[in-house]
Amino acid sequence: QMQEESKTMLRTALLACVAASASAFAPTGFAPALRSGFSGAAVSAPAAARATAGPTMAAEAWVRVCPSDSVTPGRQQDALISGAAVLCGRFSNGKVWAISAKNSATGTEMYGGQVDEAAQTLRDPQWGTQYSLVDGQVVGKWCPSPPIIGGLIGTIFPQNGVWVPQVREQGGYIEVLIDVDAKANFEKKYWKGILDAQGKTDGGYY
């Protein structure tokens, strides 16, 4: 337990240092955490409750991220929807994709990350990790950039994938299927004990 507490304290201190210096290593246009105006949209259909094992219920709903015509091939849009930070874009063939808007190392945003259409991956603009746009798993090296700093981040924070929701186009909007319970459980292991941008130690979304 003492060892785990020490790791948590080290991660918290490191994240604070990273937040203070990230802009020095980030590409042009990068902004840590959620940018101004980063907000969600209305649910396009009533939430459907489905029974799961035991007395708990998981609520699912298709939620609008942005108008379809605002995302042309190569362009990206993000939104905070039902507590989930979502990033979406469009391949050159017209198919849309969606993934967590936050990386799984330090929680900085992935807006503007380079998409490899052949590999179907998104490159985190902060630490260089390639995430699969199919299942969110890490493809290749973990936190390979920038030199030295990326390696340190990769050593302190264990390798994890990110959340990838189902995505569709409906009624002129790009929508993602949100299962709040599943999403919260999936990310709980990443954020518990990590100091976030608003000073909370549970890393919860707002």
Side-chain angles (χ1 to χ4, degrees), residues 51-113:
T52 59
T56 59
M57 300 289 288
E60 290 186 329
W62 283 101
V63 184
R64 291 176 177 176
V65 179
C66 60
S68 291
D69 59 11
S70 69
V71 181
T72 54
R75 187 174 179 182
Q76 300 174 12
Q77 290 282 353
D78 50 14
L80 185 63
I81 305 173
S82 300
V86 180
L87 175 67
C88 66
R90 189 183 300 275
F91 293 116
S92 59
N93 64 5
K95 183 180 179 181
V96 294
W97 54 263
I99 195 169
S100 169
K102 292 185 176 183
N103 66 43
S104 57
T106 57
T108 45
E109 70 173 291
M110 299 206 290
Y111 179 89

Side-chain angles (χ1 to χ4, degrees), residues 146-172:
I148 302 177
I149 298 296
L152 178 60
I153 292 296
T155 299
I156 298 299
F157 296 94
Q159 178 173 316
N160 283 302
V162 293
W163 174 66
V164 172
Q166 294 183 51
V167 60
R168 72 179 186 184
E169 291 188 87
Q170 182 79 16

